[in-house]
Each structure stands twice: as structure tokens, then as C-alpha cells.
Amino acid sequence: MNSNNIVLENVELTRFFLAVVLLLFFSHTLGYIFSKYKMPKVIGEICGGLILGPTLLGYFLPDVYKWIFEAFESEGKLLSSIYWLGLIFLMFISGFEIQSSFSKHDKKIVSAILIGATIIPFLAGWMAPRFYDFTPFIGPKQNLLALNIVIAIAIAVTSIPVISKIFIDLDIIDSRFAKIVLAAATIQDIILWIALAIATGLVSKEHVSKINILSTVMVTIIFFLIMLFVMPKIISFISKSKTNLLMKSSLDGYVLLLCILFATIASILNINVVFGAFLVGIILGNLQNKEFKQVKVNIKKFSLAFFIPIYFAIVGLKIDLINNFDIYFFIGFLLFTTLFEIIGTFTAVKLIKLDTLSSFNFAVAMNTRGGPGIVLATVAFDMGIINETFFSVLVVIAIVTSLLAGYWFKFLISKEKPLLKNGF
């Protein structure tokens, strides 16, 4: 192998490190500014990428933008690697936050929210292409079935990380309202990630047939079931084994190995790598092992300091609001997604006799797209399911709905209004 193919020239290294420095600086700086004003930090990180991308830097100083971010394929691949690691670690630590149990007293409300915020919006999204032509927004894979699945997920998806951050900022994370929302969003996320894994599996096949579709669905569901119900016991057993030398050498290294290992296994099975990381994060998050608590803190701190801000900044870097953004489609799709998510959730919760304000609050919370909405957009775009215009629209919708939810709950708290009657 020619060493020139694997060793970067000095100028390429300079551009790569400069790109990383700029991405880190702008993502953290804008993230801090947004969080200081009680807005989701993730939106500031994306805006940091927007400043560096074709929307601003590329528009006003195109030569500078190209020199830093587009000149050589080599550093582009390096940035892409960091981007994917950021996405993997984001899903990994998101899995940490998912708990396997919640209060029995609130099962009725959670069930109603799941019907209203998941099933109804998903079906609305599934039927939408029958009434509106989405083919102008299809990606290079030209897979209509995968596109249909992504549209359905886009209507129903809710952000656990962003809504959690909003609740933390408002000091209501321990409230009954917050626990119910997070419980419902947890179950919803797992259902929708299975659907997205099926969509990405479909575009990984060279030829799509009924047999391929069925095999993709079966492999995906079996993988999720094994990961959720079999692997916890196996990983728990291995983690307790005295022969586990890696765990003895470095607990952090052992946990990171599990993350990358199951991401690799998912990839081998033509399931997107992020789902392997997400599921093993759930497993480790629910293991009753005190040693893992500090490891989770360490990995979360480092990921949030480096990989994840760069991931969200690169998301912003990919958005071209000047040349690849359809304002009319954005407005229409935003209204469509918000309408079905809010009406579906509100109606379902009202049917179990909750008051109007509490029902509306649940609807607003479940309409927060945030991180998962952005993950959906990036995975679907990177896999060739949607084009750049649809990608930009989905990301901006995630930003807008997150901001609206943050402002709404901040307003209620300032007015001392209850989020949930008889249970703040």
C-alpha cells in the first residue's frame, strides 16, 4: 500500500485540525450562549456549524470555506469519522438515560400518550405520501418505502435529551409530569428506532423485494429483542467474571469497547451502527453495578466535551439555507407534524379525563423533536433516503419545536401554572 494514501500531508493536517478547532469553538460558544438564555444547548451547537457552513461562511467567504472544509477528501473523511463517533456516543449516552421501569400509577397516562403521540402521528405520516408528492425530496437511493417510513417517524418522534434538558433547566425533572413524559418518550423512541433501523436496512440491500423487506424487518426485530432481553444477562455475567482482563485493566475502555463492538455487530447485520450503541447504552444504564456509575459519568463528560458538539456542529455545517431550503415545504411540514402530534396527544389524554391544560402540556412536550429529530434527519440523509432539502427541513423543525417547548414551559413556570393537575 502506498504510504501517501494513508499519511496526510502537513497542509492537510493543518486544515483538519483547524476545522476541529473551529467546530469546537463555535459549537461550545454558541451552546453556552443558548443555554445561558434557557434555550437548548444543542441548538446553539448546530448554529455554530451554520456559521461555519455554506449558509454563512460559505456564502460570504466561499474560498475560505472551501480551503478549510472542502479542499481535500482526506480530512473530509477524518471529519466524517468524528461525526459518526459523535452520533454513536450520542445514542450510547442517550441509552444510559432510559430506565426500564416507571410508576404503575401513571401507566394509564403513559399508554394514552403512546397512542396519541406515536400511533396516530405515525399513521398520519404513513398516509401523507398518498395525498402529497414527496418524490422531489427522495434521496439518491430512490427507495420510496424507506422514504415513507422516515416521513412517518418524522411526524411522531420526540426528543428525550432536549425535553430532559428543558425540565432540568426549569428544575422540574423530578416532577410527576416530567417522569410521565420521559417514560412515554422512552417507549416511543424504541419503537421508532426499530422503524428507522428497518428503513436503513432496506437501502442497504442492492435489490429490494418482498423477501428482502421481510428479512430486514425480521433481522431488525430479532436484533432488538436479543439486545433488550438476552444481552443484559450475558453482559452482566461477563462483567462479573474474574477472567475479564480488559475490565480489570480499564473499566472505561471495557465500556467503550462494548459500545463500538455492538455498533459493529449492527453494521454487519445491515442495521445502522447507532442502534447497536443505543441498545448497549440501555443495557449498561440499567445494570445494577455501582462501578459503572462513574464510568457513565466519565464517558458522558468526554463525549459532551468533544465528539457530540462536533457532531451537532457538522449537522449545522451540512445545512445550506441559501441553496437547499424550501421555505414553503418547511412551513407546510412543520404545521402538519405539529398538528397531528399535538392533536393526537391532546385528544388521547383528554379521553382519560385529564384537564385541558395538562393535556395540552403533554402534547407540547411530545412535540419536542430535538436530538432524535436531528438524528433521524442525519441518518436518513447519510443513508441516501432523503435529499439535502428534506434534511435541512427536518433539522430546522427539530430546532423550532424545541424552542417552542422551552418557551412554553418557562412561561407556565413563571406564571406558577401547574404542568399536571394534582401532580406538578
Side-chain angles (χ1 to χ4, degrees):
M1 180 182 289
N2 189 340
S3 61
N4 290 331
N5 292 329
I6 58 175
V7 179
L8 293 178
E9 298 291 338
N10 185 58
V11 67
E12 294 174 323
L13 275 174
T14 300
R15 291 173 179 177
F16 167 69
F17 286 125
L18 178 59
V20 170
V21 167
L22 289 172
L23 289 167
L24 276 175
F25 175 80
F26 278 92
S27 62
H28 277 295
T29 302
L30 271 294
Y32 172 77
I33 292 171
F34 271 64
S35 62
K36 186 177 180 180
Y37 290 97
K38 303 298 182 183
M39 292 184 285
K41 187 176 181 180
V42 60
I43 297 174
E45 292 169 346
I46 294 170
C47 289
L50 272 172
I51 291 172
L52 295 171
T55 301
L56 286 176
L57 181 63
Y59 183 77
F60 293 104
L61 298 170
D63 292 336
V64 175
Y65 167 73
K66 289 178 181 178
W67 190 85
I68 298 173
F69 295 106
E70 289 189 344
F72 290 95
E73 184 181 0
S74 50
E75 64 261 35
K77 287 183 177 179
L78 283 173
L79 283 176
S80 180
S81 299
I82 295 178
Y83 165 85
W84 276 102
L85 283 170
L87 180 53
I88 286 170
F89 286 130
L90 172 65
M91 296 296 285
F92 187 47
I93 65 174
S94 293
F96 286 168
E97 306 301 325
I98 292 181
Q99 301 299 311
S100 59
S101 61
F102 51 90
S103 173
K104 292 181 180 179
H105 181 70
D106 294 320
K107 278 186 177 180
K108 188 176 181 181
I109 301 177
V110 171
S111 299
I113 292 174
L114 281 173
I115 293 171
T118 307
I119 297 175
I120 293 174
F122 190 91
L123 290 176
W126 184 259
M127 296 301 296
R130 286 135 180 92
F131 301 95
Y132 182 84
D133 183 16
F134 282 87
T135 54
F137 308 105
I138 196 169
K141 292 290 185 177
Q142 295 292 303
N143 191 306
L144 287 171
L145 179 56
L147 175 66
N148 205 345
I149 294 173
V150 168
I151 293 167
I153 297 171
I155 311 299
V157 71
T158 301
S159 171
I160 291 176
V162 170
I163 198 66
S164 297
K165 186 64 166 59
I166 291 170
F167 291 157
I168 290 169
D169 289 339
L170 296 174
D171 198 26
I172 57 171
I173 191 65
D174 292 324
S175 66
R176 181 181 167 215
F177 176 83
K179 290 177 180 178
I180 292 172
V181 169
L182 294 176
T186 293
I187 301 170
Q188 182 197 64
D189 266 14
I190 293 173
I191 295 170
L192 296 180
W193 290 143
I194 291 174
L196 182 56
I198 292 169
T200 57
L202 290 174
V203 296
S204 298
K205 306 281 187 181
E206 291 186 7
H207 304 287
V208 179
S209 63
K210 289 183 178 179
I211 294 176
N212 283 338
I213 294 172
L214 182 61
S215 66
T216 298
V217 172
M218 292 303 297
V219 168
T220 302
I221 292 175
I222 290 171
F223 175 74
F224 270 72
L225 290 175
I226 290 174
M227 287 294 293
L228 290 172
F229 297 105
V230 178
M231 288 311 302
K233 295 179 181 178
I234 295 175
I235 290 177
S236 179
F237 174 78
I238 294 172
S239 300
K240 293 176 182 177
S241 173
K242 294 181 179 180
T243 60
N244 191 335
L245 300 182
L246 176 58
M247 188 171 171
K248 289 182 178 180
S249 172
S250 171
L251 194 55
D252 289 13
Y254 170 64
V255 171
L256 287 172
L257 180 141
L258 288 176
C259 172
I260 303 299
L261 172 63
F262 284 100
T264 304
I265 292 171
S267 181
I268 291 170
L269 295 173
N270 280 327
I271 298 170
N272 196 277
V273 294
V274 299
F275 304 113
F278 177 66
L279 293 172
V280 78
I282 294 176
I283 294 170
L284 295 175
N286 284 279
L287 280 183
Q288 300 301 315
N289 189 326
K290 293 180 180 178
E291 293 178 313
F292 282 123
K293 288 185 178 180
Q294 187 57 46
V295 174
K296 290 187 287 186
V297 171
N298 294 343
I299 293 174
K300 189 172 183 178
K301 280 185 176 180
F302 180 69
S303 298
L304 289 171
F306 184 77
F307 287 107
I308 293 175
I310 289 182
Y311 160 71
F312 281 119
I314 293 177
V315 170
L317 197 69
K318 288 182 173 186
I319 300 173
D320 185 351
L321 296 180
I322 305 297
N323 301 307
N324 292 296
F325 188 73
D326 187 331
I327 185 66
Y328 298 108
F329 177 63
F330 162 72
I331 294 172
F333 201 68
L334 172 64
L335 292 175
F336 181 71
T337 57
T338 301
L339 181 70
F340 276 95
E341 187 73 15
I342 287 184
I343 289 180
T345 307
F346 180 84
T347 303
V349 177
K350 277 291 288 181
L351 287 174
I352 58 170
K353 310 299 183 184
L354 257 67
D355 64 285
T356 300
L357 180 59
S358 298
S359 301
F360 185 72
N361 290 338
F362 280 121
V364 172
M366 297 305 291
N367 191 49
T368 309
R369 317 283 167 167
I374 294 164
V375 170
L376 168 67
T378 54
V379 170
F381 178 59
D382 291 332
M383 294 298 293
I385 299 173
I386 62 176
N387 66 8
E388 191 172 352
T389 300
F390 201 177
F391 161 74
S392 299
V393 165
L394 288 179
V395 172
V396 177
I397 284 175
I399 291 172
V400 170
T401 54
S402 299
L403 284 173
L404 290 175
Y407 281 122
W408 173 251
F409 291 119
K410 185 179 178 181
F411 169 76
L412 288 181
I413 297 300
S414 68
K415 297 296 183 182
E416 299 183 350
K417 297 284 187 180
L419 300 181
L420 174 59
K421 193 174 180 180
N422 299 323
F424 183 81

